[in-house]
Amino acid sequence: MKRNKFTLSIFFLSLCISFLLAGCGQKAEVSSESISAISEEAKRAEENEEREQAERERHKKLAEGNVELSKYQIPTYGNVTGCCFQSDKQHVTLDLEIPDIPQSDDAFIYLFAFETYDTEHNMNTVPITSSEKATTCHLTWEYQEEQLFQEFVPALLVGGEYIPLSTGSYITNPEIIADNQDSIPLINSKKGLLIDPSTLETPLLEDLGVKHAIYNIPLSMILGETTNTACPTIYYDFRGKTYQFNGAAINGYDYLFSYLTSLDMISTAIVLNDWDENNPQLIHPKSRNQDAGAYYYAFNTAEKEGCEYLEAIASFLTERYNGGEYGLVSNWIIANEINQQTTWNYMDTDDVDYYAQEFEKSLRIFNNAAKSNYANAKVYFSLDHDWNNNKGNNSKHFNGKDLLTAINRAAAQKGNYNWGLAIHPYPNPLTRVNYWKVDYDKSIDAPLLTLMNLNVVTDLLKQKEYLDQNGNVRTITVTELGFTSSSGEKLQAAAFAYCYYIIEANPYIESFIMNRQTDAVEEMKQGLAFGIYTPDYSPKYIYDVFKYIDTNKASEYTDFMLNILGADSIEEALEWAQ
């Protein structure tokens, strides 16, 4: 084997020292210890050179790879199997699998971070980390706060340019960094209500025994400055920018959620993107048409400013209501009845896949924000009863089934997470109260989703590709459903009681939130008197039924229902809905 340059240099240096000493009239002596040390150092240098040479050879082989792929094949060659915080909460690891080692310019797989709105994935940036190619590759890096909302994409360097090696992934276990790791309070009841804020701290609410409460948060109400000196503007710093929240409006929500929490209620907030002239950046570019007459508009996840603003809002709200002094919001519903894209979540499109992809980005933003602040928070999107009835015409509304499938597909592509589904299985028409008198299709392709065929949605969500991260059926909750008293208060009460028992018997449904506590005058004009109370707060027949239905006195107040249903027992009535 040839001696390396370093070894020869040491050898000649020792000779020179010997000659110099001899020239000074001194006897040149080199101790055995010095010779041994020089020999050991030379040996280590030689071993290092051998290792470096072996590494160069290995890197060369990794660069050459075992398979040559075209630039069109590379982006689908790999598969991200995980993107998670490590237990130290300071590092994140992306796990990547590839069938074989592909050819590229060098021996490495690189990782890039992209913002949610950046779907083009321009690779002309600096990678955040890299790792040697392997069929099972682990890319680890130190977490930065902004990365909670970023997508991570592995890539190869081919022909001097970076090419994605697979679809990207977001961090899928944000709950690990949450300060609040408490479990959701255990509530042995599914009874909930859309509450009337004017009844707070009164027997009108507290005597009802409500266990689940829901309330809306329209964004225009909470954004911007306020001149209220008692509740000044709240300045919130997020990712290097300062955002303003209306102190007076936030103070109202602080009171509401802290009060509900003090009553041991499970609070659910619905985040709604209403038209706001002061914040047009929040409206999706395909939704900026106030003349469309929609109630709410799609979130802007397509542009930098809108996306950053939404991340700030999600972080602010979920941080504030994470169980501290302002109370706990356990559940967050993002938008309302999103399959009704012309009225309740407006976007000018009939492309269900595009619509789903844009919406899913806002869902994930709230999911990662909520769970990074309260580990057991849940995030939902809502669908109404139009399950599969548009006959292929998406111009008016999307089928709930089609949209659910598209959102599930979009979420799975970028890292599965535990989103939930909120449903509104109203009878058709909404004024129908005796919904049990109608025969409903119970196949998975049924046109309508109602109380009498809830299996339609559970049968779909039980399929393998729809399961959550833990392999379980996703959380389902009924967050809006009511029955009008316009055809009689006793009929309304019977419809509610039967509905409650159907939902109570369904193991997949977490809660039933009734619409609403007090009749809304504008709805009454349409024949929809859904409340427990009339507008002057007089209780209806449903009052005692609602109050006692989840207690040991339930039968005293619900037995009348059987005669109205025409059933001999509650067991028989429940069979009709199976």
Side-chain angles (χ1 to χ4, degrees):
M1 180 179 294
K2 294 182 178 179
R3 292 184 178 272
N4 59 50
K5 293 180 180 179
F6 182 78
T7 305
L8 293 174
S9 298
I10 294 295
F11 175 74
F12 285 121
L13 179 61
S14 64
L15 286 178
C16 290
I17 291 172
S18 299
F19 287 136
L20 287 172
L21 290 175
C24 294
Q26 297 178 2
K27 185 177 181 181
E29 293 184 357
V30 179
S31 69
S32 60
E33 290 83 0
S34 297
I35 294 173
S36 177
I38 293 170
S39 177
E40 285 297 319
E41 191 169 352
K43 183 178 179 182
R44 284 195 298 270
E46 188 172 350
E47 289 173 349
N48 288 339
E49 175 63 24
E50 290 174 357
R51 282 195 294 268
E52 290 172 4
Q53 181 62 30
E55 186 173 356
R56 286 192 291 270
E57 291 296 326
R58 185 166 54 82
H59 282 183
K60 181 180 178 182
K61 285 187 176 181
L62 285 174
E64 292 171 350
N66 300 325
V67 58
E68 184 176 354
L69 303 172
S70 72
K71 291 184 178 181
Y72 303 102
Q73 293 173 311
I74 293 173
T76 58
Y77 194 65
N79 179 41
V80 175
T81 58
C83 185
C84 299
F85 280 107
Q86 294 186 355
S87 58
D88 67 358
K89 305 181 184 181
Q90 302 296 319
H91 293 85
V92 182
T93 297
L94 182 139
D95 300 316
L96 176 72
E97 292 183 352
I98 51 179
D100 206 339
I101 306 301
Q103 184 184 73
S104 66
D105 292 1
D106 58 23
F108 298 97
I109 293 173
Y110 298 89
L111 192 67
F112 292 83
F114 296 99
E115 302 294 343
T116 299
Y117 56 84
D118 185 3
T119 56
E120 296 299 321
H121 291 171
N122 185 344
M123 296 286 181
N124 293 327
T125 57
V126 178
I128 61 172
T129 191
S130 63
S131 179
E132 287 186 1
K133 293 178 193 173
T135 53
T136 300
C137 185
H138 308 288
L139 294 117
T140 298
W141 69 97
E142 187 173 354
Y143 170 70
Q144 305 295 323
E145 186 176 12
E146 68 274 9
Q147 293 174 346
L148 187 65
F149 305 106
Q150 290 180 339
E151 179 186 358
F152 303 98
V153 181
L156 292 176
L157 183 62
V158 179
E161 64 176 314
Y162 293 104
I163 300 177
L165 186 52
S166 75
T167 55
S169 178
Y170 291 81
I171 294 172
T172 58
N173 65 338
E175 62 277 1
I176 198 171
I177 63 171
D179 290 334
N180 186 350
Q181 295 286 330
D182 294 342
S183 299
I184 289 179
L186 181 62
I187 303 293
N188 294 318
S189 173
K190 297 184 180 184
K191 184 174 73 176
L193 187 63
L194 174 60
I195 60 174
D196 179 345
S198 65
T199 67
L200 299 182
E201 296 196 72
T202 74
L204 289 170
L205 175 60
E206 295 181 5
D207 288 353
L208 289 171
V210 177
K211 304 300 192 300
H212 302 265
I214 196 166
Y215 208 78
N216 295 337
I217 304 181
L219 293 188
S220 68
M221 288 186 61
I222 65 170
L223 298 178
E225 296 179 288
T226 176
T227 57
N228 187 325
T229 55
C231 303
T233 301
I234 298 171
Y235 296 95
Y236 182 69
D237 293 328
F238 179 76
R239 295 186 65 176
K241 295 182 181 180
T242 300
Y243 296 84
Q244 297 174 341
F245 290 89
N246 187 300
I250 294 299
N251 182 67
Y253 285 109
D254 292 348
Y255 163 66
L256 170 68
F257 292 127
S258 59
Y259 169 70
L260 296 177
T261 301
S262 73
L263 295 180
D264 296 325
M265 292 188 198
I266 302 296
S267 293
T268 298
I270 307 175
V271 182
L272 300 166
N273 196 26
D274 54 335
W275 188 269
D276 184 358
E277 293 287 352
N278 296 319
N279 292 289
Q281 75 278 3
L282 289 172
I283 307 295
H284 194 280
K286 293 183 71 65
S287 305
R288 291 175 188 151
N289 178 13
Q290 192 174 12
D291 293 336
Y295 294 104
Y296 301 106
Y297 296 79
F299 294 106
N300 183 9
T301 54
E303 297 175 327
K304 182 177 187 292
E305 187 179 7
C307 206
E308 289 179 347
Y309 219 113
L310 186 61
E311 291 169 3
I313 292 168
S315 297
F316 171 78
L317 289 174
T318 59
E319 178 184 321
R320 196 170 186 87
Y321 304 117
N322 72 344
E325 65 175 304
Y326 304 117
L328 176 65
V329 174
S330 299
N331 306 318
W332 298 89
I333 299 177
I334 312 309
N336 179 57
E337 295 186 352
I338 62 168
N339 57 309
Q340 302 292 340
Q341 86 278 16
T342 60
T343 52
W344 291 107
N345 193 55
Y346 177 71
M347 184 185 287
D348 184 18
T349 183
D350 61 2
D351 185 337
V352 68
D353 289 316
Y354 173 77
Y355 181 79
Q357 289 164 6
E358 290 301 290
F359 173 79
E360 189 275 329
K361 290 189 287 184
S362 63
L363 184 70
R364 193 186 293 266
I365 285 172
F366 268 91
N367 176 82
N368 283 17
K371 291 182 178 177
S372 69
N373 283 298
Y374 173 43
N376 288 293
K378 297 179 182 178
V379 177
Y380 300 81
F381 64 91
S382 76
L383 302 175
D384 73 353
H385 62 184
D386 286 324
W387 182 249
N388 193 44
N389 61 0
N390 74 9
K391 299 180 180 179
N393 181 5
N394 291 337
S395 60
K396 186 176 180 182
H397 72 267
F398 294 119
N399 287 328
K401 175 176 176 286
D402 295 341
L403 185 53
L404 174 57
T405 298
I407 290 174
N408 180 66
R409 184 167 53 245
Q413 287 173 349
K414 302 296 178 68
N416 191 16
Y417 57 102
N418 292 344
W419 53 264
L421 180 65
I423 56 175
H424 302 167
Y426 279 102
N428 187 38
L430 299 183
T431 51
R432 178 180 288 281
V433 183
N434 60 344
Y435 51 87
W436 54 89
K437 294 289 187 181
V438 179
D439 290 328
Y440 290 102
D441 184 349
K442 296 187 179 183
S443 74
I444 205 166
D445 293 319
L448 292 175
L449 171 64
T450 75
L451 284 167
M452 304 306 288
N453 64 350
L454 291 174
N455 68 284
V456 164
V457 67
T458 57
D459 286 350
L460 182 69
L461 291 181
K462 283 190 288 185
Q463 296 179 20
K464 182 178 179 180
E465 61 268 33
Y466 291 89
L467 300 179
D468 69 13
Q469 289 172 293
N470 303 313
N472 299 321
V473 177
R474 295 181 183 278
T475 300
I476 308 170
T477 183
V478 176
T479 53
E480 183 184 322
L481 182 57
F483 309 100
T484 182
S485 61
S486 298
S487 299
E489 290 188 9
K490 203 166 186 178
L491 182 61
Q492 178 199 29
F496 163 76
Y498 185 33
C499 170
Y500 185 85
Y501 286 131
I502 290 172
I503 292 172
E504 185 181 50
N506 192 310
Y508 300 109
I509 298 181
E510 186 172 78
S511 62
F512 161 37
I513 299 177
M514 177 181 160
N515 181 23
R516 60 185 56 238
Q517 184 179 358
T518 308
D519 284 341
V521 175
E522 63 274 14
E523 290 181 350
M524 293 176 68
K525 295 175 183 177
Q526 306 170 49
L528 303 175
F530 288 142
I532 295 172
Y533 301 113
T534 62
D536 65 359
Y537 299 108
S538 299
K540 302 182 191 177
Y541 192 91
I542 194 176
Y543 175 87
D544 284 332
V545 178
F546 184 94
K547 179 176 179 177
Y548 293 107
I549 199 164
D550 59 345
T551 73
N552 56 12
K553 294 183 178 181
S555 61
E556 297 177 33
Y557 297 94
T558 61
D559 281 350
F560 78 96
M561 169 191 72
L562 297 176
N563 186 50
I564 293 176
L565 296 179
D568 292 330
S569 66
I570 185 61
E571 290 76 18
E572 178 189 352
L574 290 176
E575 287 180 1
W576 302 344
Q578 293 177 356

